[in-house]
Amino acid sequence: MSLGSKKNSGKPGDDGVVLLLGGRSEIGLEIATRLAPGRTIVLAARRSTELAAERQALLDAGASVVDCVEFDADDLDSHEKLLRSVVDTHGPLSVAVLAFGILGDQARAERDARHAVAVVHTDYVAQVGLLTHLATLLREQRSGRIVVFSSVAGVRVRRANYVYGSAKAGLDGFASGLGDALHGSGVSLLLVRSGFVIGRMTEGMSPAPMSSTPAQVADAVVRGLHRGASRVWVPGRLRPVFFVMRLLPQAVWRRMPR
């Protein structure tokens, strides 16, 4: 049974198309691997002809079909056409995972307005555009799940990474509102608030307390999909920690490290 076969099931099902927007994402590929058996997986990324290794790994994990399509997150005008093309080719979407984004260079962003805007464009503006098109498409289907990656960096923005954090804060708010707007439509949204993830994106950085791996994040996301959750914190103990963090005086918060 796929999401398309039962409204409001809240589960990712055992079949149906999985669209990974950010086809090289470590977390996204871990999620796709867990959902792969018997399913069609569509990997959307730049230089999509260079995704042979990722495609083969998903086939080895049991996917029935793995298609690779060209996707440039920053090209807003291409988003709707891409989504419609995937559906026209493979059928209704069951799960769409937005796994693209950039960390950026905070020090550079404080001096270089173009770099600051580039971070916000990819991590917020592009996500808003794509989510709006996705919501329209899935409402037409009357089914489907969307996975959006926020971050604890956006729960309360810190001086140490305020450009990236501000983009995540905006995305968190938008996705929260969109999830409420989708209520009762047969479509649902899972918002993932993760802490520091040890991987390519954070290579060379010292892991923060309560760090996770891409595999641990993927496990939490898939569990959230199966239970029909609307929010997932990774790891879960970050939720009470950030409840307290929100109450810290600004003078103390300003000195918090990454």
Side-chain angles (χ1 to χ4, degrees):
M1 180 182 68
S2 71
L3 278 172
S5 63
K6 185 176 180 181
K7 286 177 62 180
N8 292 320
S9 66
K11 297 181 180 181
D14 298 320
D15 56 14
V17 177
V18 176
L19 171 60
L20 175 56
L21 294 147
R24 290 183 179 82
S25 161
E26 291 173 283
I27 296 173
L29 287 166
E30 291 280 1
I31 294 169
T33 297
R34 285 154 177 75
L35 298 178
R39 306 181 82 143
T40 294
I41 310 289
V42 179
L43 300 180
R46 290 175 177 168
R47 305 183 310 281
S48 58
T49 57
E50 300 173 12
L51 292 170
E54 291 83 356
R55 179 177 182 274
Q56 188 59 53
L58 290 169
L59 289 171
D60 292 343
S64 57
V65 175
V66 181
D67 190 14
C68 301
V69 298
E70 195 67 19
F71 167 59
D72 181 350
D74 291 321
D75 182 4
L76 305 185
D77 292 338
S78 70
H79 291 176
E80 183 178 19
K81 183 178 179 180
L82 168 70
L83 295 174
R84 297 286 176 181
S85 175
V86 170
V87 171
D88 289 345
T89 302
H90 298 289
L93 297 179
S94 177
V95 182
V97 182
L98 279 71
F100 62 88
I102 58 175
L103 186 59
D105 183 325
Q106 173 66 32
R108 178 184 170 190
E110 292 185 26
R111 306 184 308 271
D112 181 350
R114 288 181 180 273
H115 184 61
V117 169
V119 172
V120 174
H121 190 274
T122 301
D123 291 347
Y124 178 64
V125 176
Q127 305 252 357
V128 166
L130 196 50
L131 282 168
T132 301
H133 289 304
L134 257 177
T136 299
L137 180 64
L138 296 182
R139 279 190 181 106
E140 292 172 6
Q141 294 184 180
R142 303 179 67 190
S143 66
R145 297 220 69 188
I146 304 171
V147 179
V148 179
F149 286 94
S150 178
S151 168
V152 297
V155 174
R156 184 174 181 183
V157 178
R158 287 166 284 180
R159 187 265 175 269
N161 64 349
Y162 67 79
V163 176
Y164 173 79
S166 68
K168 287 298 187 181
L171 178 59
D172 194 288
F174 183 88
S176 295
L178 177 59
D180 289 340
L182 291 171
H183 181 73
S185 68
V187 184
S188 58
L189 185 148
L190 175 60
L191 180 59
V192 184
R193 293 175 177 144
S194 60
F196 188 98
V197 179
I198 301 168
R200 287 195 304 264
M201 191 173 181
T202 57
E203 189 173 357
M205 300 171 66
S206 299
M210 292 182 280
S211 296
S212 301
T213 64
Q216 289 170 327
V217 177
D219 285 340
V221 169
V222 173
R223 285 196 300 269
L225 287 171
H226 277 291
R227 70 173 191 268
S230 62
R231 303 283 189 280
V232 169
W233 292 71
V234 189
R237 60 186 181 275
L238 280 174
R239 183 173 185 173
V241 167
F242 269 81
F243 177 82
V244 174
M245 292 287 195
R246 285 172 166 169
L247 304 178
L248 288 177
Q250 188 64 29
V252 175
W253 185 254
R254 187 179 298 123
R255 296 192 295 272
M256 293 290 289
R258 184 194 72 246

